[in-house]
Amino acid sequence: MAEKTFDLKFDGYKLEENKLGLPEYSGVYVVHSCIYNKKEDTVSLMRLLYIGKAGNINDRVNNHEKLENWKKELKEEEQLCYNYTKVNTAYNNRVEAALINANQPIVNVDYKESFPFDSTIINCSNRYNLLKENIKVTKH
């Protein structure tokens, strides 16, 4: 593989209570802690907890074995919030690894210290709070 660039457009956020509405397409999802202000109908993202990949984002998140690990990171008044972007299944591992390596989410273990793929450039757009906007990760 050679250097490859991925332009990721993050489609939106879903609160824990609405996660059944996550898309069923292939891609990468991001788990944040957030505070939801019901009165003002606003969400404040607090911390980046986890980055994962899936052939079907909805199915993966709604049946994830690390859900309790994510919840353990929540502080009082916080809840889980999910962000997502479409990625071709063939590149899910590479994009996930680059995002983890560059952003160092709290709960992830793999790819934080190493990156086994060729040089990868990721440009984030739309709703991607708490992620670095433009990254380049090289094999190490």
Side-chain angles (χ1 to χ4, degrees), residues 2-24:
E3 180 173 285
K4 184 147 179 67
T5 298
F6 298 90
D7 294 313
L8 305 181
K9 181 179 179 189
F10 284 86
D11 293 328
Y13 297 100
K14 295 280 185 200
L15 295 172
E16 176 70 14
E17 63 199 44
N18 300 321
K19 72 179 181 178
L20 287 174
L22 286 166
E24 296 181 354

Side-chain angles (χ1 to χ4, degrees), residues 3-140:
E3 180 173 285
K4 184 147 179 67
T5 298
F6 298 90
D7 294 313
L8 305 181
K9 181 179 179 189
F10 284 86
D11 293 328
Y13 297 100
K14 295 280 185 200
L15 295 172
E16 176 70 14
E17 63 199 44
N18 300 321
K19 72 179 181 178
L20 287 174
L22 286 166
E24 296 181 354
Y25 55 65
S26 172
V28 172
Y29 58 92
V30 181
V31 183
H32 299 91
S33 64
C34 73
I35 297 177
Y36 175 61
N37 182 325
K38 191 171 188 168
K39 183 178 176 183
E40 296 179 21
D41 195 30
T42 59
V43 173
S44 298
L45 298 178
M46 307 309 290
R47 288 180 323 285
L48 174 62
L49 301 179
Y50 187 84
I51 296 172
K53 50 110 171 55
N56 177 325
I57 292 172
N58 184 300
D59 185 56
R60 180 69 177 127
V61 170
N62 281 291
N63 297 294
H64 208 289
E65 68 279 0
K66 292 192 178 182
L67 177 62
E68 291 307 313
N69 294 0
W70 303 339
K71 288 182 176 181
K72 286 178 187 175
E73 296 296 331
L74 297 177
K75 296 180 180 171
E76 191 174 332
E77 298 184 25
E78 290 181 348
Q79 62 178 293
L80 297 175
C81 182
Y82 304 92
N83 194 1
Y84 44 90
T85 185
K86 190 179 282 190
V87 176
N88 182 304
T89 305
Y91 298 110
N92 272 350
N93 287 340
R94 186 173 180 174
V95 171
E96 174 200 38
L99 288 170
I100 291 168
N101 192 267
N103 291 284
Q104 299 288 306
I106 296 168
V107 180
N108 286 90
V109 176
D110 295 337
Y111 305 121
K112 286 174 97 170
E113 301 298 324
S114 64
F115 185 72
F117 301 95
D118 286 341
S119 183
T120 302
I121 298 167
I122 296 188
N123 302 307
C124 297
S125 66
N126 210 18
R127 299 181 192 173
Y128 60 89
N129 296 30
L130 303 184
L131 293 178
K132 293 179 180 176
E133 182 176 9
N134 304 105
I135 62 172
K136 180 174 183 175
V137 184
T138 56
K139 188 182 276 191
H140 64 275

